[in-house]
Amino acid sequence: MKLSQLLMAVFTPCLLFATVAAQTDSPIPVPDSVKGDRSVANTVMTRWVSPDNSRPTGFADWQSRSAVKGNFSIRAVEHVATAKDVRDAVGFDIIINETLYYQVASSIERYQMELTGEGYAASLFLSSGGTPEDMRGFLQGRHFDHGIEGFVFIGDLPVAWFETDFGDPPEHDEFPCDLYYLDLDGVFTDTDSDGRYDSHTGNVAPEIYFGRLTASPLTMTGDTEAELVQNYFDKNHLYRCDLLPQTSRALVYIDDDWASGGAWWNTNVGQAYSNRTFVNDTWTTWGPDYLSRIPLDYEFIQVCVHSWPGGHAFKRPVDDWSWVYISNVLSTDPAAHFYNLFACSNARYVETDYSSGWYIFNKDHGLAAIGSAKSGSMLNFEDFYGPFGQGDNLGVSFRHWFSEQAQGGFEEWEITWFYGMTLNGDPTLCSQHRCNTGILQSDNGSAAYMIPMVSSSEDLHNVRFTAEQACTLSCVTVDGSFSGNTPMRMYLWHSDGTYPTNVFDSVDITADMMAMIDITAKNIVLDAGEDVHVGFSVLDPAPVDTPWIYMDDGTIQTEHRSGLYDGSSWVTLYDLYGNNYNLCIRVEVRNPSVPEIHITTTSLPSTNSGVDYAEVLAFTGGTPPYDFVVTAGALPDGMELDLHTGTILGRAGEQGTFPFSVRITDGSPTSLTDVQHLGITVSTTCGDASCDSFINLLDVLYVIDYLYGIPTGPAPRPIEAGDGNADDAINLLDILYLIDYLYGSPQGPAPLCP
């Protein structure tokens, strides 16, 4: 809905200043300490900050206590067949420590079956001993010879280490490096033969995606490694079955050293979560405040804070520190499923009770955390959140991010920032919600220069945006130096295709609100291809705190979209500075929702053998006709799935629990699909000891044999199978019960227990 179209005359002379010359000197460079995300070489690096001045475990110490010893062994376990009716099943390998496997086998087999049901060709391998070179050689064979695209490591398996000596003066660092397994055709070299790689050349981009589940260093709760892994896959199962729901919402929590550029990072998270809480005030970001927020209903948490493996170190401008131990985090029972830990060494999985481990192995929630095993963390967040918000799984999204950083090779500072990056958790997990957020942006993401917003002619700063498709404006974010309560106004103009024409709406704000201005309630809709100009003015010509707005480095050579008002007409930044600078103003939009289909049945009632069963799978969305198919597991014998109505019907002829996956496909041109993991439990009908759905002479013989043949031993089947009178014993009354049934109504089904 377009609002009233006010003429440009709303701008009173007090907001306008002297005419701008056609060209001036270059604008003022932004200080290195606050440059935006594309100038990542100057971003403050995460540091190891701890209350006890602890230091990282070095390679030699870790090697002396590593649980991975002996010769390399890896073997396949007979696995679930490739997903039915899926032509292009994605190759994915589960590799688990062999000793651990025998303690958690049922959970791993369920996980494998669910992957199969979702369209993966999931293979299971048990491994022990060996070196990183042994394991990488195995992965290379699986990827290049068999087309495997992803892997997950479960338990203690070989760890590759890397070492660097960077900086002026050089600082030594040694750390686990999972890029060694992600990049299978690059050349890693240990030039000094000390067991740590120090060179990486050739094609350095990753070929596969990879996640790691390492629970053995986690000791705080007293649970064994097997118990933690078992509980993790129980949560994983609930999540895949839509039984662990969370609102599609994110918490973006950015501590002091990155607060000034936090608006851009918050916008990046918006590519996956349009609904989010953004906290970057330097006095608000503090340990108790963080702990009060993480139990709330968020699916994803992005936290940016100096840290150490055992927790976080929040600070205030007075250089006062607030320590958040990972034990504090656990005691709050955080509710998120996924984390991006921009936090030094939180993902250093060789340390006892490392933070990212407890974020994902806690009791009730937590499934995956991206972080670093050293200083540094993720930058250029849009390269991750973009694909993740469009439905790619965590592993594929993380691989895409790493590939983007690897373009042109890794420079020294990039090695320092990125080589410790790892994904702790199951890499096949996706968000339960497809994001429909888009970002309209004219700058290149950097913050190279800045200009004041008062006491000059440059007082009506605006950027033109073009809607790629019909959309609704949701919020505006601005990079700059803003503080205090300086009164400001945001304007929205129509366009003649180059310059603003007339205002159709405005919002009064203060400077400290510039990081995220929510305008969803205004319901401003743009048509595909329609232009809108968004700009700002300071209402106080002499504020106490001068707001500064950032602009990029002018490297995007597109049409000139950013401009200023000179008192009588608009000019572009190109007219002013002779370069195609663009102001760092971005607009988030809500695009039309992507059509989806969902099976909403999350559980099925149990039944007894021989009893008629009919349950219809409920679903929402999609376009008729619909097709259903079991993609993994199987229904009990005697039951079948109607392929067009989704009805499960029949009489089970066997007892037990029967897990299976079912897929629905609709009749739309894009063939929408959804997979749900279900199960049916079948009990033996009371009195039907022979489990043939009838009570007959064989059942009588079972009871007589038990009663007179082995009177003190267990029943030949579960006691309910012959216990007609439900007294937890098989005796003469049960025989009479059976005989009465047998000769009273011999053709009917077996009765239930009385």
Side-chain angles (χ1 to χ4, degrees):
M1 177 185 300
K2 304 292 193 306
L3 302 180
S4 60
Q5 300 185 359
L6 306 177
L7 298 177
M8 280 296 294
V10 299
F11 297 113
T12 58
C14 67
L15 297 180
L16 305 178
F17 294 83
T19 301
V20 179
Q23 183 169 333
T24 68
D25 294 333
S26 295
I28 301 172
V30 170
D32 286 346
S33 61
V34 295
K35 280 189 176 180
D37 199 53
R38 284 298 180 186
S39 300
V40 288
N42 298 297
T43 303
V44 176
M45 179 170 280
T46 61
R47 321 195 290 276
W48 180 302
V49 179
S50 65
D52 59 357
N53 295 316
S54 60
R55 301 308 305 153
T57 297
F59 172 73
D61 289 342
W62 171 82
Q63 190 178 43
S64 67
R65 56 179 173 80
S66 171
V68 182
K69 300 184 184 301
N71 295 328
F72 183 62
S73 170
I74 192 164
R75 61 186 181 86
V77 174
E78 184 177 348
H79 56 83
V80 182
T82 299
K84 300 174 183 177
D85 297 331
V86 178
R87 295 181 180 178
D88 300 316
V90 177
F92 185 82
D93 283 357
I94 306 165
I95 304 176
I96 183 170
N97 176 279
E98 184 165 8
T99 301
L100 176 62
Y101 170 73
Y102 293 111
Q103 302 173 65
V104 297
S106 60
S107 293
I108 300 303
E109 290 164 4
R110 179 183 62 193
Y111 171 58
Q112 183 186 16
M113 193 204 77
E114 290 173 347
L115 288 174
T116 301
E118 293 174 13
Y120 292 90
S123 301
L124 175 61
F125 293 87
L126 311 187
S127 181
S128 62
T131 65
E133 293 79 10
D134 294 327
M135 181 61 76
R136 188 171 188 245
F138 173 77
L139 301 185
Q140 288 169 330
R142 293 292 294 165
H143 173 67
F144 293 115
D145 298 339
H146 299 282
I148 304 303
E149 295 184 28
F151 300 84
V152 62
F153 281 11
I154 305 172
D156 291 320
L157 295 167
V159 175
W161 283 65
F162 202 90
E163 63 180 344
T164 59
D165 291 283
F166 290 156
D168 185 17
E171 292 185 12
H172 181 76
D173 200 358
E174 50 193 52
F175 50 90
C177 181
D178 282 347
L179 180 60
Y180 180 78
Y181 292 131
L182 289 161
D183 171 27
L184 296 179
D185 62 358
V187 179
F188 284 84
T189 307
D190 177 9
T191 59
D192 54 6
S193 302
D194 63 356
R196 288 153 285 187
Y197 294 105
D198 47 40
S199 172
H200 182 203
T201 57
N203 181 3
V204 297
E207 285 73 46
I208 58 99
Y209 61 90
F210 169 81
R212 180 186 290 276
L213 285 159
T214 304
S216 61
L218 305 178
T219 66
M220 207 157 40
T221 62
D223 295 297
T224 66
E225 177 190 21
E227 289 170 335
L228 292 170
V229 170
Q230 176 79 43
N231 184 67
Y232 175 87
F233 280 104
D234 286 344
K235 294 185 297 181
N236 191 297
H237 167 70
L238 292 174
Y239 183 81
R240 291 180 181 278
C241 295
D242 297 326
L243 295 172
L244 202 64
Q246 284 287 46
T247 302
S248 180
R249 189 163 71 119
L251 171 64
V252 184
Y253 202 91
I254 302 180
D255 203 26
D256 298 24
D257 276 344
W258 309 278
S260 60
W264 175 233
W265 294 359
N266 175 55
T267 301
N268 296 154
V269 180
Q271 294 176 268
Y273 295 93
S274 57
N275 184 9
R276 59 195 185 278
T277 299
F278 176 42
V279 185
N280 76 326
D281 180 80
T282 56
W283 289 98
T284 302
T285 53
W286 194 240
D289 182 73
Y290 176 71
L291 291 173
S292 72
R293 296 176 189 270
I294 59 176
L296 303 180
D297 188 21
Y298 297 106
E299 183 180 84
F300 203 109
I301 292 177
Q302 163 95 46
V303 58
C304 304
V305 57
H306 294 297
S307 299
W308 80 105
H312 304 306
F314 293 95
K315 73 173 183 177
R316 281 182 170 163
V318 293
D319 207 26
D320 187 18
W321 295 90
S322 175
W323 309 109
V324 172
Y325 297 89
I326 192 60
S327 58
N328 304 139
V329 172
L330 277 181
S331 65
T332 68
D333 194 18
H337 298 320
F338 309 122
Y339 298 86
N340 195 331
L341 302 173
F342 186 91
C344 179
S345 300
N346 263 193
R348 194 177 177 92
Y349 51 83
V350 297
E351 305 284 350
T352 301
D353 292 319
Y354 66 105
S355 288
S356 68
W358 279 122
Y359 271 113
I360 68 171
F361 283 107
N362 74 60
K363 181 179 179 182
D364 298 319
H365 301 92
L367 293 168
I370 292 171
S372 180
K374 64 180 294 295
S375 57
S377 285
M378 179 179 283
L379 294 169
N380 301 328
F381 294 97
E382 69 272 24
D383 296 328
F384 167 76
Y385 285 109
F388 185 61
Q390 293 304 307
D392 284 345
N393 66 34
L394 285 165
V396 169
S397 303
F398 185 56
R399 178 184 63 189
H400 179 266
W401 171 82
F402 234 140
S403 295
E404 290 298 304
Q405 314 321 304
Q407 291 187 16
F410 290 108
E411 298 179 23
E412 180 177 298
W413 70 265
E414 291 176 303
I415 294 174
T416 303
W417 268 99
F418 303 142
Y419 267 44
M421 290 298 294
T422 185
L423 194 166
N424 297 149
D426 175 7
T428 67
L429 294 173
C430 303
S431 173
Q432 291 176 324
H433 314 274
R434 182 71 63 88
C435 184
N436 68 337
T437 297
I439 299 176
L440 304 182
Q441 177 182 349
S442 296
D443 67 283
N444 65 6
S446 71
Y449 299 98
M450 61 184 185
I451 51 179
M453 299 183 71
V454 293
S455 301
S456 74
S457 59
E458 302 163 321
D459 268 359
L460 295 176
H461 307 72
N462 92 103
V463 176
R464 178 168 61 92
F465 301 97
T466 304
E468 296 180 0
Q469 57 182 308
C471 60
T472 303
L473 306 189
S474 60
C475 73
V476 176
T477 60
V478 187
D479 265 3
S481 178
F482 308 109
S483 61
N485 296 315
T486 301
M488 304 185 71
R489 182 170 294 159
M490 183 181 78
Y491 295 96
L492 295 102
W493 290 270
H494 289 303
S495 176
D496 63 7
T498 302
Y499 299 110
T501 55
N502 57 287
V503 171
F504 66 85
D505 206 349
S506 64
V507 181
D508 284 349
I509 57 173
T510 55
D512 55 6
M513 298 170 59
M514 296 280 279
M516 187 174 180
I517 306 162
D518 189 347
I519 55 174
T520 305
K522 289 184 172 293
N523 196 28
I524 300 170
V525 177
L526 300 181
D527 296 328
E530 185 175 358
D531 286 333
V532 63
H533 293 255
V534 178
F536 295 86
S537 175
V538 179
L539 300 182
D540 183 350
V544 174
D545 299 303
T546 299
W548 292 77
I549 191 168
Y550 296 162
M551 54 197 204
D552 65 15
D553 58 12
T555 58
I556 295 182
Q557 298 302 317
T558 60
E559 55 185 324
H560 314 312
R561 286 181 168 264
S562 297
L564 305 171
Y565 194 68
D566 71 353
S568 61
S569 62
W570 291 96
V571 293
T572 67
L573 294 188
Y574 182 83
D575 296 329
L576 285 170
Y577 300 115
N579 206 345
N580 192 32
Y581 298 116
N582 278 294
L583 297 170
C584 295
I585 301 172
R586 296 106 186 188
V587 179
E588 280 188 39
V589 299
R590 305 281 175 87
N591 296 315
S593 296
V594 177
E596 293 183 286
I597 190 170
H598 292 289
I599 298 173
T600 56
T601 297
T602 56
S603 63
L604 292 168
S606 58
T607 186
N608 291 312
S609 60
V611 176
D612 288 334
Y613 189 91
E615 287 291 329
V616 180
L617 299 179
F619 63 92
T620 60
T623 303
Y626 303 98
D627 293 318
F628 294 82
V629 65
V630 174
T631 55
L635 295 171
D637 285 346
M639 288 188 176
E640 61 181 16
L641 173 68
D642 187 296
L643 302 183
H644 301 296
T645 67
T647 303
I648 299 172
L649 68 168
R651 292 180 180 179
E654 54 184 333
Q655 63 176 328
T657 297
F658 300 89
F660 62 94
S661 300
V662 61
R663 185 183 69 226
I664 184 175
T665 304
D666 83 335
S668 66
T670 54
S671 296
L672 303 176
T673 66
D674 187 40
V675 173
Q676 181 59 281
H677 306 292
L678 298 165
I680 297 176
T681 298
V682 182
S683 300
T684 303
T685 303
C686 201
D688 186 17
S690 56
C691 201
D692 62 357
S693 301
F694 293 93
I695 295 180
N696 47 40
L697 186 59
L698 185 57
D699 301 313
V700 177
L701 293 176
Y702 262 118
V703 177
I704 292 174
D705 178 64
Y706 173 77
L707 185 62
Y708 295 102
I710 46 172
T712 59
R717 286 182 179 272
I719 198 163
E720 293 84 359
D723 185 17
N725 62 345
D727 63 355
D728 290 333
I730 297 181
N731 48 40
L732 185 59
L733 187 59
D734 298 314
I735 296 176
L736 295 176
Y737 180 86
L738 293 175
I739 291 174
D740 177 69
Y741 174 78
L742 182 63
Y743 295 100
S745 53
Q747 301 305 315
L752 299 176
C753 287

